[in-house]
Amino acid sequence: MKVPIGRPSMRPYLPYQQRTAAQREGLSAHFLGTSSVLLSDGQTSVLSDGFVTRPGMLRVGMGRITPDRALVRAAIERLRVENLAAVVCAHSHYDHALDAPVWALETGAELVGSESTANIGRGLGVPESSLRVVGDGDTATFGSFTLTFLDSVHSPGDHYPGTVDQPLVPPARAGAWKTGTAYSVLVTHPQGRVLLQASANYRPGALRGHHADVIYLGVGMLGKLPAEFLHTYWDEVVAATGARRVILVHWDDFFLGLDRPLRPMPYLLDDLGTTMNRLLPLARRDGVDVVLPVSWQSSAPLTGLA
């Protein structure tokens, strides 16, 4: 019996847990929970979301939230970030865009995303010269990275639809961070192609003709959706791009801080066990490697994909 406040055990999925990169050569990645991923080739780094404040459920539900600059600074120091060129928001909910402007302010990186994301940056004082608004099919180049932005769809059950139409000055209710535009972000690098698919949803046919070696695949809420939805999502994102590895993101309980190991969402909100039981057979069918990332740990996402 699944108790709503209980949560799935990670023990059955330990074989899928990522391995630490032996050395930092080639393209490296650090996962910071939800869909926050730092990619670096040693010369240039790009970051998706950068959500590290992770306010608790009570504050999100009943109070007002604001980015914790000290936690962002601590993350920058812990990861030794010295060459961050861009912070890219998959969409503009607080669990993607709350801290992104602070990363931009602390490092000089550009803040990249929708007009909603730009207004979140304006609310925290990010200068216009550091804001880049992108549309469907737009590309942006940072060092050897080229990012292509493809309009996507938020996962079913969007709690905060709409756009952020004025500079958002925190503290504010969590619902002030509205969705804006959701993107699939294809990261092209001489060493390979990585797709950042933060939200577990798809636009039919949108990714056909686009190749990815690795996908950071959002799986949030899939455990509460019909099996047929997951199957179609897999086919539209993983099979369509020919990816050989999926690294699962947005499965962790983002109401808990990053000072402890990641834990799945409670059954009340999602069911990672159901997601894994449905996803793993599809991965075996298509010969796709499945990885559960570990927060803060360096990894080499493209290694072993010959």
Side-chain angles (χ1 to χ4, degrees):
M1 181 177 178
K2 296 177 180 178
V3 179
I5 60 172
R7 63 185 81 225
S9 170
M10 294 297 290
R11 186 170 299 172
Y13 312 115
L14 291 179
Y16 302 98
Q17 197 168 83
Q18 81 175 22
R19 299 176 181 177
T20 305
Q23 53 188 359
R24 300 188 75 174
E25 60 180 28
L27 199 68
S28 69
H30 290 82
F31 178 58
L32 301 178
T34 56
S35 54
S36 296
V37 181
L38 178 71
L39 296 173
S40 179
D41 63 3
Q43 301 298 317
T44 306
S45 299
V46 295
L47 173 69
S48 63
D49 300 340
F51 177 57
V52 296
T53 293
R54 295 166 71 103
M57 186 181 295
L58 185 61
R59 180 168 293 279
V60 169
M62 305 291 291
R64 295 175 179 270
I65 60 175
T66 192
D68 188 325
R69 289 175 180 258
L71 286 177
V72 175
R73 292 187 187 110
I76 291 169
E77 292 176 5
R78 181 170 180 175
L79 297 173
R80 299 180 181 176
V81 177
E82 297 178 346
N83 50 6
L84 188 64
V87 185
V88 176
C89 289
H91 57 267
S92 298
H93 284 170
Y94 82 90
D95 55 325
H96 300 266
L98 179 70
D99 294 329
V102 180
W103 285 85
L105 290 168
E106 292 289 331
T107 65
E110 284 193 18
L111 178 61
V112 187
S114 67
E115 187 65 30
S116 292
T117 293
N119 275 323
I120 293 166
R122 291 179 182 114
L124 281 169
V126 177
E128 290 294 325
S129 60
S130 295
L131 298 175
R132 187 184 297 209
V133 176
V134 291
D136 187 27
D138 285 353
T139 62
T141 298
F142 303 96
S144 295
F145 292 95
T146 297
L147 279 56
T148 302
F149 296 83
L150 303 169
D151 283 0
S152 189
V153 186
H154 190 273
S155 54
D158 187 347
H159 294 294
Y160 308 128
T163 56
V164 182
D165 299 322
Q166 300 292 332
L168 199 171
V169 181
R173 298 283 187 186
W177 281 263
K178 297 185 184 298
T179 313
T181 303
Y183 302 100
S184 302
V185 184
L186 183 61
V187 181
T188 304
H189 189 275
Q191 296 180 27
R193 295 165 71 89
V194 176
L195 178 67
L196 304 174
Q197 183 75 18
S199 291
N201 210 339
Y202 59 91
R203 283 197 305 131
L207 292 173
R208 291 172 196 158
H210 295 281
H211 171 70
D213 300 299
V214 173
I215 301 176
Y216 283 88
L217 186 72
V219 296
M221 295 305 297
L222 287 180
K224 294 289 190 178
L225 296 171
E228 293 77 9
F229 181 90
L230 186 150
H231 292 177
T232 304
Y233 175 54
W234 178 275
D235 289 340
E236 288 281 351
V237 178
V238 181
T241 58
R244 310 315 304 159
R245 175 174 294 148
V246 295
I247 302 172
L248 305 183
V249 298
H250 222 323
W251 53 267
D252 57 299
D253 186 345
F254 53 77
F255 299 114
L256 304 177
L258 287 171
D259 56 343
R260 63 188 85 180
L262 300 179
R263 302 177 71 190
M265 279 288 189
Y267 289 119
L268 179 66
L269 300 175
D270 200 358
D271 187 342
L272 180 63
T274 294
T275 297
M276 295 295 284
N277 290 339
R278 294 171 175 173
L279 183 148
L280 290 174
L282 297 174
R284 288 192 290 269
R285 179 196 74 185
D286 294 343
V288 175
D289 184 27
V290 174
V291 177
L292 277 166
V294 177
S295 58
W296 301 110
Q297 183 175 290
S298 179
S299 66
L302 294 164
T303 297
L305 291 178

